[in-house]
Amino acid sequence: MKYIFFILGILILTLGISFTIQSDLGTSPFDALLVGLSLNVGLSVGSWEIIIALLLICCNSILSRQKPEFLGLLTAFITGIGIDMWLFFLHSWVTPELLIGKIVYMVIGLVLIGLGTATYLLTNFAPIPLDRLTLIIQKRTRSNLLVARTLLYLVFLLLALILKGPIGMGTILTVCLGGVILNTFMPLMKKVLDRFSSHSSSSTVLVKDKSHSI
């Protein structure tokens, strides 16, 4: 059950990222960095997700003073594929031209990013290196996810500006609301995951009891 929620969370997260990119109103600073690298250097957005993830794994290892979590690279690989896949489908489907459509895309994207991130993070299975860095900063600064996420966003915002990534109104919304949305979904999704876990455990016990009775 944990792995199902892990994959589901990644799919929701990458769909949200793709919505913000397609909104053309600006993406999160990190995604703006990825798009900027894709436009100026080459390769797909998903490919840069994987490359940057490898660099962040090394950074996380130094900050946490632990061995590199290369399993996080697997998560980044799945995320990169997910982003490229959703961008392909959304681009061939509908690209909003009116401002109201772009705003709707941005709002949907922000909500999906928060929901997807909370869902897969709570499985405690190989978080994306960026999210692991968020947790490390949260622990080191003794703050909450909102503060840690906002600090990271400001750093990547500077890098995205240098690379002329898609910075706009959506970027400001992401910096201001990204941490709030994630903080909101974390307790809600924890209740959902706990409920499914308890239900799964009850079903397992029931099956064992039946097998013993036979």
Side-chain angles (χ1 to χ4, degrees), residues 53-190:
L54 182 58
L55 297 176
L56 289 179
I57 286 174
C58 297
C59 178
N60 293 344
S61 176
I62 295 172
L63 289 175
S64 62
R65 297 177 182 178
Q66 296 178 352
K67 293 181 179 180
E69 297 180 328
F70 287 112
L71 192 58
L73 193 60
L74 172 63
T75 308
F77 182 76
I78 299 173
T79 303
I81 292 176
I83 292 174
D84 287 343
M85 177 188 73
W86 287 124
L87 282 176
F88 173 79
F89 285 126
L90 288 178
H91 183 71
S92 60
W93 181 42
V94 176
T95 300
E97 297 181 359
L98 298 177
L99 179 60
I100 184 64
K102 293 181 178 183
I103 293 175
V104 169
Y105 261 48
M106 174 56 63
V107 172
I108 292 174
L110 288 176
V111 172
L112 290 176
I113 289 172
L115 175 60
T117 303
T119 302
Y120 99 85
L121 271 182
L122 286 168
T123 63
N124 292 317
F125 178 75
I128 294 172
L130 174 62
D131 292 324
R132 172 62 76 188
L133 181 57
T134 302
L135 296 175
I136 291 173
I137 292 177
Q138 177 196 12
K139 183 178 180 180
R140 280 186 165 271
T141 59
R142 298 180 181 178
S143 59
N144 56 29
L145 287 172
L146 170 59
V147 174
R149 196 67 150 186
T150 302
L151 287 174
L152 273 178
Y153 276 159
L154 290 175
V155 173
F156 286 116
L157 177 61
L158 177 61
L159 294 174
L161 285 171
I162 294 173
L163 286 165
K164 298 180 180 180
I167 303 296
M169 180 182 70
T171 307
I172 298 174
L173 289 175
T174 304
V175 172
C176 296
L177 301 178
V180 175
I181 296 173
L182 177 59
N183 232 27
T184 301
F185 275 118
M186 287 292 276
L188 294 176
M189 290 311 300
K190 187 176 187 307

Side-chain angles (χ1 to χ4, degrees), residues 185-204:
F185 275 118
M186 287 292 276
L188 294 176
M189 290 311 300
K190 187 176 187 307
K191 291 181 181 179
V192 173
L193 288 171
D194 288 344
R195 182 174 299 179
F196 271 94
S197 296
S198 60
H199 178 72
S200 178
S201 299
S202 299
S203 300
T204 302

